[in-house]
Amino acid sequence: MYRVTAEPLSADALADAVTVPEAGGVVVFLGVVRDNNAGRRVVALEYEAHAPMAEAKMKEIGDAVHRRWPAVKQVMMAHRVGRLAIGEASVIVAVSAAHRHDAFEACHFAIDRLKETVPIWKREIFEDGAVWVGLQGEAPPAE
Amino acid sequence: MYRVTAEPLSADALADAVTVPEAGGVVVFLGVVRDNNAGRRVVALEYEAHAPMAEAKMKEIGDAVHRRWPAVKQVMMAHRVGRLAIGEASVIVAVSAAHRHDAFEACHFAIDRLKETVPIWKREIFEDGAVWVGLQGEAPPAE
Amino acid sequence: MSLFARYREAVGRDRLEVEVPDGATVEQVWAALSAAHPVLARYRPHTLFAIGNEYVPAERPVRAGEELACFPPVSGGRADVPRHR
Amino acid sequence: MSLFARYREAVGRDRLEVEVPDGATVEQVWAALSAAHPVLARYRPHTLFAIGNEYVPAERPVRAGEELACFPPVSGGRADVPRHR
């Protein structure tokens, strides 16, 4: 399951979904909204996605995981969009494997790839403004 | 929080508990009951703990994590005891950190140490018997 | 074309049409877009392009009926290298 | 003493008392226990000992009032090396 959703994410839901009878270890990564970036106080984040492409790219990452770690049983990824409060999960990646070492490696790989290749952007909301995160987000307004 | 409990474990509960405003990444490991061991069909597992010592050893591991990864914010571990069905979580370790790489490393370290040093034992229940897992568990009955 | 994130905000729309000659490349479609919306020109060095669900390089021709998406580097990636594959 | 897992099952109790001379070591307490419960003797090569919440080595003296716990290697560890620290 590879999904972009406006609904709150649940680690238990994804962990349950990747748990199959022959898997002994499940590793779940949650990206959560931090209260600051480079010292500036963040009050919320807004995520926007190219949803169909994001889901297709997540599936590609899952396929790559299965090729590289044949002992991985299931991979699931969900990314939230819309406005999130501090401490809410923006992304969850869950991986099950017969043995935990593979689950750790594969989950780490998957979230690294997701952050590099999946078309999702975030905007940090401050008390006195907002800015798109990333190289272009820090540019001054264009006019 | 380092706890031995007979209650079902929740990844969300532990992930929430380690989520602090300055943490951006949370890694959760769940050990789940597999349906077989070395090809023999398992119908359930029973866990027994030296509970006060187990909680003390889990806290030692958490302390070691904080010393080794200063960027780790929170560590929590919970281990279940009693009879568990296939697919239920026997142990959950949750680690939060400012950056995900530390959270992955620290969580992996913590579960490895937990499995080596925390006094908890498991008995595999088969359709036609039961056996304590580990070197001594496979010995034939003593008389 | 479809626009996302800062590009959508800068233009004020998430979708628009541009006229280009047959056989125009992604780069030429971008040129037509940024001629119409000069606010975008400064973002070019790091712009990513996609057609359907795939990243595409700037030199790829855009065929009739294809929708080109353009957007900034993704949120978790390093922003110092434009990527396409 | 307190017994766990297979040890508890083998003896049929999770707690019992053994008489040992003053200054007896963990090993000597074990010897008294396994003399009373010969079923345990075969487990000695991999038995772990703890007093309070700490693993203890077999040569440590057990002081009056201390409760010694003995149990098998823990469930997730490699079972080929007895551990104590």
Side-chain angles (χ1 to χ4, degrees), chain D residues 21-46:
Chain D
D22 268 8
T25 63
V26 166
E27 190 69 56
Q28 290 169 312
V29 176
W30 169 267
L33 173 70
S34 61
H37 300 276
V39 61
L40 293 176
R42 63 197 336 238
Y43 299 139
R44 176 63 191 94
H46 302 283

Side-chain angles (χ1 to χ4, degrees), chain B residues 48-142:
Chain B
E48 176 177 336
H50 182 332
M53 182 173 169
E55 292 179 350
K57 290 289 154 197
M58 289 193 280
K59 180 174 187 310
E60 282 179 19
I61 295 167
D63 293 344
V65 164
H66 286 297
R67 283 194 302 274
R68 185 157 162 184
W69 288 276
V72 162
K73 301 297 180 187
Q74 295 277 329
V75 181
M76 300 211 179
M77 303 180 206
H79 204 298
R80 198 163 157 205
V81 289
R83 188 173 179 122
L84 277 71
I86 305 301
E88 286 195 282
S90 57
V91 58
I92 298 185
V93 176
V95 175
S96 62
H99 300 290
R100 63 184 180 272
H101 184 73
D102 292 319
F104 274 105
E105 282 196 347
C107 187
H108 198 164
F109 168 87
I111 183 62
D112 284 353
R113 284 291 282 272
L114 186 154
K115 296 244 178 187
E116 284 169 9
T117 67
V118 174
I120 297 177
W121 307 275
K122 69 180 171 192
R123 206 161 73 120
E124 292 179 337
I125 317 293
F126 305 106
E127 270 155 24
D128 58 349
V131 66
W132 288 99
V133 175
L135 186 63
Q136 299 170 355
E138 301 298 338

